[in-house]
Amino acid sequence: MKKRLLITDVSLRDGSHAVAHQLTAKQLADHAAAVEAAHVPVVEVGHGNGLGASSLQLGESLLGDLDMLRVVREQLTTARMSIHVIPGFATIGRDLRAAIDVGVDIIRVAAHCTEADITERHITFAREQGKEVYGVLMMSHMASKEVLLEEALKMEAYGAEGVVLMDSAGAYLPVDVRDKVRHLCTGLSIPVGFHAHNNLGLAIGNSLVAAESGAYILDGAIRGFGAGAGNAQLEALVAVMEKAGYETGIDLYGILDAGDRAQEGLLAVMPTTTSTSIMSGLSGVFSGFLKPVNRIAAEYGVDPRDVFFELGRRGVVAGQEDLILEVAQALAQQRGGRDV
């Protein structure tokens, strides 16, 4: 009997990074309808950094959170709608209650991989509303398997029904995936998930290793539409998992058709593994920093690869975008580049 996997399409959330959070209502509706027809079970929607994150610092969404959710909700019949929630960006009173009222089915509450404590109130509240809730540990390459299990156990104690490890920087090698996913699967009584980025060209391979190591939840995006070099390409993910003997419930021809349509209507920028995305993966820097690093490095006349390495040396995480400017200024002063 084939092992069942739960695939989440994160194109309409993580893909938002690739277009500076400017997804239109038509793009949202068209993609949601296409993946609903392909029997994709979960569709994640929102600003790239999640609910409540639209801001000058992180980038303002073309549409508000609730508008995006309403557009996608209208297209979904069997697929469930998910949101990414980072406490600090999303408040319970202002954001989470309203999203639930619109019809969100699954709430994935995320924190930096060593800060699960901040998720307790949001996880508890969402469970009290009768919603399916997962914990998410971001930038998980920055912590040992022992620390990740400690943090995941906290999320399980708060009520999370699964914990997803995010390779937010696309920094994992297959051996890292195997080691950490197995450790969490052994130590938790709830399912484990994996969210890959393709900065080192390993997203599909790492996702396969995650499944082989016991992961139940896998994330993918159409044509890899996501931050940095993109996520695991959803169409390839479905094909590879089926070939490897897993059951996804997703119609292969349907998701291939959705990919073809997305290439014409959704993907203003096609994710590729570039020299700077490789540096993002090697230095372990959040994939969402790719665009601002390239822009600020150009403004200051410095090499973006040097910026990534210095950000990695400092252990910078998502939410510390202001440090990109600081690093670029310092490199410009050191190397005689333009200081503006």
Side-chain angles (χ1 to χ4, degrees):
M1 184 177 178
K2 289 185 175 181
K3 178 186 174 184
R4 185 83 176 186
L5 296 174
L6 178 65
I7 304 290
T8 295
D9 175 12
V10 297
S11 307
L12 299 182
R13 198 276 302 167
D14 212 317
S16 181
H17 285 293
V19 292
H21 315 290
Q22 299 302 297
L23 290 173
T24 67
K26 184 176 188 310
Q27 289 172 322
L28 291 163
D30 288 351
H31 181 69
V35 294
E36 164 73 27
H39 308 304
V40 172
V42 182
V43 180
E44 191 164 90
V45 185
H47 184 280
N49 294 80
L51 191 71
S54 178
S55 63
L56 285 175
Q57 182 188 18
L58 300 177
E60 293 183 295
S61 295
L62 178 64
L63 301 176
D65 289 326
L66 301 185
D67 290 335
M68 287 190 278
L69 294 173
R70 291 190 185 100
V71 167
V72 173
R73 180 75 275 169
E74 290 179 359
Q75 303 300 323
L76 303 183
T77 303
T78 58
R80 294 181 292 166
M81 186 165 67
S82 172
I83 54 173
H84 181 75
V85 173
I86 301 176
F89 293 148
T91 67
I92 291 174
R94 183 194 62 200
D95 304 302
L96 199 46
R97 288 183 188 277
I100 290 172
D101 288 343
V102 171
V104 165
D105 302 297
I106 298 174
I107 298 168
R108 307 208 311 180
V109 184
H112 182 65
C113 58
T114 58
E115 298 174 354
D117 293 12
I118 70 169
T119 65
E120 180 175 7
R121 289 185 62 245
H122 288 67
I123 290 175
T124 301
F125 173 79
R127 286 299 306 272
E128 289 173 350
Q129 308 311 304
K131 296 302 173 183
E132 192 167 319
V133 184
Y134 300 131
V136 175
L137 294 172
M138 302 183 294
M139 300 289 284
S140 62
H141 70 285
M142 298 181 75
S144 68
K145 63 182 181 183
E146 291 82 9
V147 169
L148 291 174
L149 179 57
E150 290 176 11
E151 299 299 310
L153 283 168
K154 292 177 187 176
M155 290 175 157
E156 181 177 354
Y158 303 153
E161 296 165 280
V163 174
V164 178
L165 291 182
M166 277 197 170
D167 182 14
S168 312
Y172 272 53
L173 297 176
V175 66
D176 305 317
V177 178
R178 183 178 298 109
D179 196 31
K180 292 182 176 180
V181 170
R182 278 183 179 173
H183 194 66
L184 262 64
C185 288
T186 301
L188 296 174
S189 59
I190 55 178
V192 173
F194 186 70
H195 171 106
H197 277 272
N198 203 40
N199 295 353
L200 296 177
L202 292 169
I204 292 293
N206 281 343
S207 298
L208 178 59
V209 171
E212 293 172 342
S213 303
Y216 166 66
I217 305 160
L218 293 178
D219 290 355
I222 207 78
R223 290 289 196 269
F225 189 46
N231 299 104
Q233 184 175 348
L234 182 57
E235 314 92 288
L237 185 67
V238 171
V240 168
M241 292 304 154
E242 294 284 346
K243 183 173 183 178
Y246 296 93
E247 174 62 49
T248 69
I250 297 173
D251 178 68
L252 179 59
Y253 278 16
I255 200 63
L256 293 175
D257 290 344
D260 292 341
R261 284 197 288 273
Q263 190 162 338
E264 297 177 0
L266 184 65
L267 302 173
V269 179
M270 183 69 73
T272 57
T273 300
T274 64
S275 60
T276 45
S277 71
I278 291 171
M279 288 302 107
S280 171
L282 283 179
S283 55
V285 174
F286 173 48
S287 300
F289 280 12
L290 185 63
K291 285 183 177 297
V293 165
N294 283 333
R295 174 176 52 79
I296 293 172
E299 290 174 1
Y300 282 82
V302 298
D303 191 326
R305 297 169 294 187
D306 292 336
V307 176
F308 269 118
F309 273 126
E310 178 59 18
L311 291 170
R313 190 188 67 78
R314 296 188 185 195
V316 171
V317 300
Q320 294 181 305
E321 282 80 354
D322 53 329
L323 290 179
I324 301 172
L325 183 61
E326 180 180 312
V327 167
Q329 286 176 330
L331 290 172
Q333 290 170 357
Q334 292 169 12
R335 300 176 187 185
R338 186 166 66 95
D339 191 357
V340 296

